[in-house]
Amino acid sequence: MLSRGLSRISGTTASTPGARSRKRLWAAAGVTALGFLVVLELTARRYGLPGPLTHQVAELVYRPKSGALLYAGLALTLVVLTWRQRFIAVAAALGIDAVLALTRWVFGIGGVGGIEGRAFGNGALWVVLGCGVVALTRRTGAERTLLLKGVGLGLLLVAGRKTGDTWLLITSRTRPQVLDPYVATADHALGNPSWVAGRIVEATGPIGSHVLDAVYGQLAVAAVVVALYQLRNVAAERRFPAHHLVRTFLVIGLLGPAIYMIYPVVGPVFAYGTGAFGTGSAHWAVAELWPHTPPPIGTPHPVVYDAITPRNCMPSLHTAWATAIFIHSRRAPRFLRVAGTFWLLATLTATLGFGYHYGIDLVAGVVFTLTIETTLRALDHGWNRLAVRQVAGGTAFFTALLLSVRFLPVRMAHHPWVAGPLVLLATAAVIYGYVRTTARWEPNPVPPAPRAEPQLEPA
């Protein structure tokens, strides 16, 4: 009774085995993430490149590459604070940004690595780190854990972007040959969708291109909007929901670049066009064909490409992330559901229409996300036969798709009416299996209680 009274006075409850196991899991995840960042930093420096930790520390003072992303990370941290604390944090971030912008202007300080970045964003990073210091020095027990989770969530979003950028640089330095001819040949089975979409986007003129480019470039901000809706009750309930969009986003960003190393592909606009983002050119292209002339069916072979362009096509992570946004917006209000659908369709159009991906990449991205999403939900709700079958089937189809594109692309191209429908039917089976598996984990709506009919009293 004495321990229970002391727990009530301190605002905490007695530690249970489940709570201790969750704390150990969070601690292990934090140590693993830090170790991964350190290894990636050392690997990047081995190739003469600044790593994610270097970029993150530099953005405390220099112009950040993406100010919107830093404020998105701050927004995720603010979900654990009260409204008064949120206003104070945002005001502090804006004030720090103003002071640093003025200081950089006076002393002529530019962006990280000599690259001009945004004029704002440093203040958001300062405030997130300040919240971490407050959690360690001024909070105890469950309140400290909750605040540290919010800080970790915000920093992981930013670190995930830095980690992805470093991964892309490493792929360009360590994979001199790319497998684009294999994917372009196999894409004949789907009707060369990148070439078709490229001509459509070209016909829409600058307006269509600007809209699609904005959607493509601000995918992380759209994800944060959906995540904020999912985490809207954290401050009141003093706990995070079991599963939310940020988890899926981070796992996709962690696993996807590893496949880039195994399956290096640069995309149609680079391998069959003049390049984009200031990298690639007709000199490195297999042939200058995109988007007006589909590539001929020949004998594919690896080709050498430059050491700058990222090998980031297989699978399409933009498609994977947009699919995750679509999935997690299904239980949101109508506005977010419509926005999630629009973001998915616009992202698919942009990835194909700008020549960044082949059709096979998009199929792989959808299957990749559904398999990861099922795994994460099964970890929360418990594994059953449907979940095991869905994860195993998604993994098997994803592996078979990559192997088929690598070793059977010519047969796929020569038999499009067999290979194409098989790929699409298998993808539809994975989608159906995901819907069927996760439907059992959705809470059933509670029917409204029947209203009692008023009883007339006798006269």
Side-chain angles (χ1 to χ4, degrees), residues 367-385:
V367 176
F368 188 65
T369 295
L370 296 181
T371 305
I372 290 175
E373 183 72 16
T374 305
T375 303
L376 293 177
R377 294 200 177 197
L379 291 174
D380 294 325
H381 296 277
W383 289 91
N384 54 37
R385 182 183 300 177

Side-chain angles (χ1 to χ4, degrees), residues 207-240:
I207 297 179
S209 297
H210 288 320
V211 172
L212 293 176
D213 186 63
V215 171
Y216 190 85
Q218 299 301 326
L219 187 66
V221 177
V224 169
V225 172
V226 176
L228 288 177
Y229 172 78
Q230 293 181 320
L231 304 176
R232 66 193 183 280
N233 296 325
V234 171
E237 298 176 356
R238 313 310 296 165
R239 63 180 181 85
F240 279 84

Side-chain angles (χ1 to χ4, degrees), residues 117-139:
R118 302 296 181 183
F120 65 95
N122 309 90
L125 182 57
W126 277 93
V127 171
V128 172
L129 294 176
C131 289
V133 173
V134 170
L136 295 174
T137 59
R138 304 292 298 276
R139 298 288 187 269

